[in-house]
């Protein structure tokens, strides 16, 4: 799933300009070669892009699609960083009706951290603590890339302000807090029994637990 798919029916709703024949078109003549694109066709294509962009902008301004954009971008980039170990599209996720910052962050954290055991199985000889830290760093890096992509999209549409900006930034903080909590629970499990087995905490609850001391959340780059 990519951000471009969020346009949804906007693309389908773009009117297609009709072309009137004059008896000299390639369809009428049966010519096998495609005619060169006319200046008018190029203008229509540019207009369609503008209509699609405007449709997405209205959709984002009207509701929760800013969170959907962030969720889509984050999952896409997390899939990219997991692909070398777990194959393409490891995280298969559908959009939810609840696009609040809490729900969006919870889905990102729970869906991505659920692959810890599969990741660990690919690195059986790695130190358990290092493995846990590397996994969380990997997920965090993928999320950062997705966040940047979504933020740039929203800024390009001129809607990264007000409630949209505050909601996106709240989701950003909650995802990093959730990853911190997941890592804290994993390291506590390791120090308690010396074993790296098990998922180490309920990932669906990571955005609601106590914050860990000394967060690994990277500083948000100024844009």
């Amino acid at each position: 799933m990519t951000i471009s798919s969020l346009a949804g029916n906007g693309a389908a709703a773009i009117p297609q300009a009709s072309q009137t024949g004059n008896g000299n078109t390639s369809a009428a003549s049966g010519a096998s070669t495609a005619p060169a694109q006319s200046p008018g066709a190029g203008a229509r294509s540019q207009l369609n892009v503008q209509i699609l962009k405007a449709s997405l902008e209205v959709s984002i301004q009207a509701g929760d699609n800013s969170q959907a954009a962030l969720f889509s971008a984050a999952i896409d980039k997390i899939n990219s960083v997991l692909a070398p170990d777990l194959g393409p599209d490891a995280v298969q996720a559908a959009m939810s009706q609840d696009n609040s910052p809490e729900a969006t962050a919870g889905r990102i954290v729970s869906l991505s951290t659920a692959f810890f055991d599969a990741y660990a199985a690919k690195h059986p000889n790695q130190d358990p603590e290092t493995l846990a830290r590397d996994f969380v760093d990997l997920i965090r890096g993928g999320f950062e890339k997705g966040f940047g992509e979504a933020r740039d999209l929203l800024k390009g549409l001129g809607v990264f302000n007000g409630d949209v900006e505050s909601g996106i930034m709240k989701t950003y903080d909650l995802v990093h807090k959730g990853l911190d909590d997941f890592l804290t629970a994993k390291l506590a499990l390791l120090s308690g029994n010396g074993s790296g087995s098990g998922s180490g905490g309920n990932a669906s609850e990571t955005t609601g637990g106590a914050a860990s001391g000394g967060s690994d959340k990277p500083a948000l780059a100024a844009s």
Side-chain angles (χ1 to χ4, degrees):
M1 180 185 301
T2 61
I3 287 181
S4 60
S5 67
L6 294 173
N9 293 333
I14 295 175
Q16 297 295 322
S18 60
Q19 297 181 358
T20 58
N22 59 9
N24 295 322
T25 64
S26 59
S29 64
S32 59
T33 58
Q37 187 181 48
S38 66
R44 283 193 299 273
S45 178
Q46 183 176 6
L47 177 62
N48 284 348
V49 171
Q50 293 173 345
I51 292 172
L52 181 58
K53 180 179 178 180
S55 175
L56 179 57
E57 180 174 358
V58 170
S59 180
I60 289 175
Q61 289 176 322
D64 294 326
N65 276 2
S66 59
Q67 291 290 338
L70 173 57
F71 177 75
S72 175
I75 293 301
D76 182 59
K77 296 306 179 184
I78 289 170
N79 269 329
S80 295
V81 299
L82 289 177
D85 289 299
L86 304 179
D89 299 323
V91 183
Q92 295 292 337
M95 293 295 180
S96 169
Q97 293 301 312
D98 186 353
N99 286 320
S100 65
E102 293 81 4
T104 302
R107 289 197 305 276
I108 292 171
V109 172
S110 62
L111 286 168
S112 57
T113 57
F115 286 88
F116 175 77
D117 289 340
Y119 177 83
K122 294 287 186 177
H123 305 273
N125 299 321
Q126 192 168 358
D127 172 71
E129 180 175 337
T130 301
L131 178 73
R133 293 186 183 279
D134 286 352
F135 174 77
V136 170
D137 285 346
L138 191 68
I139 298 300
R140 202 186 297 276
F143 170 70
E144 282 288 333
K145 292 178 182 178
F147 171 82
E149 183 177 301
R151 181 184 57 187
D152 290 346
L153 170 70
L154 297 172
K155 283 187 173 183
L157 293 174
V159 298
F160 193 72
N161 49 57
D163 290 342
V164 169
E165 180 178 4
S166 62
I168 290 294
M169 295 311 302
K170 184 175 183 180
T171 304
Y172 176 88
D173 289 337
L174 288 172
V175 168
H176 280 297
K177 180 181 181 300
L179 294 175
D180 289 341
D181 290 346
F182 175 83
L183 180 59
T184 297
K186 177 61 63 180
L187 296 180
L189 178 65
L190 291 174
S191 64
N193 59 20
S195 171
S197 62
S199 58
N202 188 340
S204 65
E205 298 175 353
T206 55
T207 58
S212 63
S215 170
D216 290 331
K217 182 179 78 172
L220 182 60
S223 57

